[in-house]
Each structure stands twice: as structure tokens, then as C-alpha cells.
């Protein structure tokens, strides 16, 4: 006999997502119904106040963290904290479903906190669960079909966020991540500590960047520094201003491969927490 050793196919998370969406009738639906996934997987669901209703031993482990959701494999139970708004609750349920279906995540109990469920988490299992949750939320590649036929803009973020029942931030990220066009989403967060300061007086500096694959290839991976111009801030950062009422300016950025700085459209928009910007090249 030879020394050849056979490898066996293991299920990719994308296949799991597609299977679950198909089996729960989501091919004919415009939005994910987390309840149907829970029923299909025979998982119970509860929503309650983690800080008062969980046993004290469990609460004592939460020092310094903000738990949002949990899954107990043994009890076949998913729970979310009562403080979460609707879109966070949906995403949190999908995140716990992801822990349940990912084969390497079969542990007894997960308690997932705000940090782990944020996009910037460094924990591998949390990253994987977030990715699968986003794939479920945006119905696999259905989002890409919707997004690719529209302009890359704040209005598209708003339209698709409502269509898919997702947050503005998750939708804006998905547009940039999956686009075949040249675009980058830049998120600016407020770096001053003045909580009582009006948003237009705050300093908004680069928090993270999501380039599309072609943008990263052609221009750059991220902005190492940058802030929202003052006049854009004062127009944009107004309580209650609708997201799609954006401000677009032209900026020039030096790009390694080019002799001249490259001109980009910078469309800024505000979701009442952070300022975002879509960078797209100005076509010559
Ligand atoms: Zn988790």
C-alpha cells in the first residue's frame, strides 16, 4: 500500500448557512426570521434582565463585561438581555445560533458580551460566530444581489438596513466587504471625553476601515489617520438627522503606486453613534 492518507470534506460555514436558510423556507423571504431558525433547531428562547435574573455565581463572572446573549447547549436554550434593541436582539440570537451550528463550537455554555459580539473582537470563536450571524442576517448572497444593483451610498445603507432588518453599521460594512467595486467604508468615532458636548463639537477620528477587495488591491488597506472636517461635522452631527442626509466632498489621498495623489468622493453620514464615510475614486 502507499502512504497516501485521505482527507475528508468538512462542512464549510457557508454551506451550513445555505442549508439552514433553505430548510427554514428563507429562499422565498425578504428578511431573516430568527424564531424559525430556533424552532427548526429545537432551541428555546428567553429574553430577560441578565443582571437581576441570572444566579449570583454567573453574575460575578461578568465584572468588567456587558453580557448580551447566551446559549446553553445542555438546556437547548438561547437567551438575550432585555436591554438590547430590536436589531441587536436579532443579531444576538443569530450569533448564538451560529455557536450552535458551527461544529467546532460544541461547548456546554457560551455567555457572549458586547466586546465579543463587536466587529473588532480578536476572539476566534466570536469572530466566527459574528461572520455566520451576518451571513444569516443578510440571507447569504441575497444581499449582494440587492447591493450590487444600487449605488454605494448612505441611501442604499438605509434602504437595505430596513429591507434586511439590520443595523445601519452592519449594512454599511456588508456593502464594502462584499462589493466588487472600488470602495472603502471608514468609521470615525468620537475621541473626546466630553459626553455632554454636542456631537458637532466633538473630534471624530478614524476608528476602522473596510476596503472592498478591489479597493485594497488598487489603492490602500486603511487610513492610518484622518478626521471628519469641521464643516462636515457641524452639518451632519445633529440629533435626529436622517442617515441618508449625507455630506459629500472631494478629497485627495496619496497612493503608493501613483505619482499624483488620487481624488476620491467622500460621502459622510451619521447614525447618531459614529460618523461613517464611503470613499470611492473620482473617475477620470
Ligand atoms: Zn459568542
Amino acid at each position: 500500500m502507499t502512504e497516501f492518507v485521505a482527507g475528508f470534506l468538512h462542512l464549510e460555514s457557508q454551506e451550513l448557512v445555505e442549508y439552514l436558510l433553505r430548510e427554514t423556507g428563507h429562499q422565498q423571504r425578504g428578511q431573516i426570521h430568527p424564531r424559525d431558525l430556533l424552532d427548526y433547531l429545537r432551541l428555546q428562547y428567553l429574553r430577560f434582565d441578565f443582571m437581576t435574573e441570572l444566579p449570583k455565581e454567573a453574575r460575578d463572572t461578568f465584572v468588567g463585561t456587558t453580557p448580551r446573549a447566551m446559549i446553553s447547549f445542555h438546556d437547548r436554550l438561547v437567551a438575550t438581555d432585555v436591554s438590547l434593541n430590536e436589531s441587536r436582539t436579532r443579531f444576538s440570537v443569530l450569533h448564538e445560533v451560529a455557536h450552535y451550528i458551527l461544529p467546532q463550537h460544541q461547548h456546554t455554555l457560551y455567555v457572549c458580551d458586547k466586546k465579543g459580539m463587536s466587529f473588532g473582537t480578536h476572539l476566534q470563536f466570536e469572530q466566527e460566530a459574528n461572520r455566520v450571524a451576518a451571513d444569516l442576517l443578510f440571507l447569504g448572497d441575497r444581499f449582494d444581489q440587492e447591493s450590487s444593483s444600487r449605488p454605494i451610498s448612505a441611501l442604499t445603507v438605509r434602504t437595505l438596513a430596513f429591507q434586511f432588518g439590520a443595523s445601519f453599521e452592519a449594512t454599511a460594512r456588508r456593502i464594502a466587504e462584499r462589493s466588487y467595486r472600488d470602495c472603502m467604508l471608514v468609521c470615525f468615532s468620537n475621541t473626546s471625553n466630553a459626553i455632554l458636548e454636542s456631537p458637532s463639537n466633538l473630534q471624530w477620528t478614524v476608528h476602522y476601515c473596510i476596503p472592498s477587495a478591489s479597493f485594497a488591491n488598487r489603492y490602500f488597506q486603511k487610513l492610518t489617520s484622518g478626521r471628519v472636517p469641521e464643516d462636515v461635522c457641524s452639518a451632519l452631527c445633529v440629533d435626529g438627522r436622517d442617515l441618508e442626509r449625507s455630506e459629500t466632498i472631494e478629497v485627495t489621498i496619496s497612493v503608493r503606486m501613483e505619482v499624483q495623489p488620487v481624488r476620491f468622493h467622500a460621502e459622510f453620514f451619521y447614525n447618531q453613534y459614529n460618523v461613517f464615510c464611503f470613499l470611492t475614486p473620482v473617475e477620470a
Side-chain angles (χ1 to χ4, degrees), residues 25-93:
H26 279 89
Q27 275 162 326
Q28 287 79 39
R29 289 170 156 190
Q31 218 179 67
I32 191 82
H33 290 246
R35 171 66 73 179
D36 291 355
L37 303 185
L38 293 167
D39 288 348
Y40 178 79
L41 297 168
R42 291 184 291 116
L43 293 169
Q44 284 195 70
Y45 171 64
L46 289 175
R47 184 166 178 264
F48 59 87
D49 186 348
F50 284 12
M51 279 310 175
T52 58
E53 293 184 48
L54 279 174
K56 188 177 177 304
E57 310 82 72
R59 290 197 315 256
D60 288 347
T61 64
F62 298 159
V63 179
T65 67
T66 316
R68 282 188 168 173
M70 55 182 278
I71 180 166
S72 164
F73 281 68
H74 178 72
D75 303 310
R76 307 190 69 84
L77 175 72
V78 168
T80 59
D81 189 56
V82 74
S83 65
L84 302 182
N85 68 18
E86 198 186 329
S87 68
R88 287 218 167 113
T89 300
R90 283 161 63 80
F91 187 82
S92 302
V93 170

Side-chain angles (χ1 to χ4, degrees), residues 95-96 99 110-112 117 125-126 129:
H95 175 102
E96 300 309 324
H99 281 311
Y110 281 95
V111 179
C112 305
M117 296 174 97
F125 276 16
E126 293 299 73

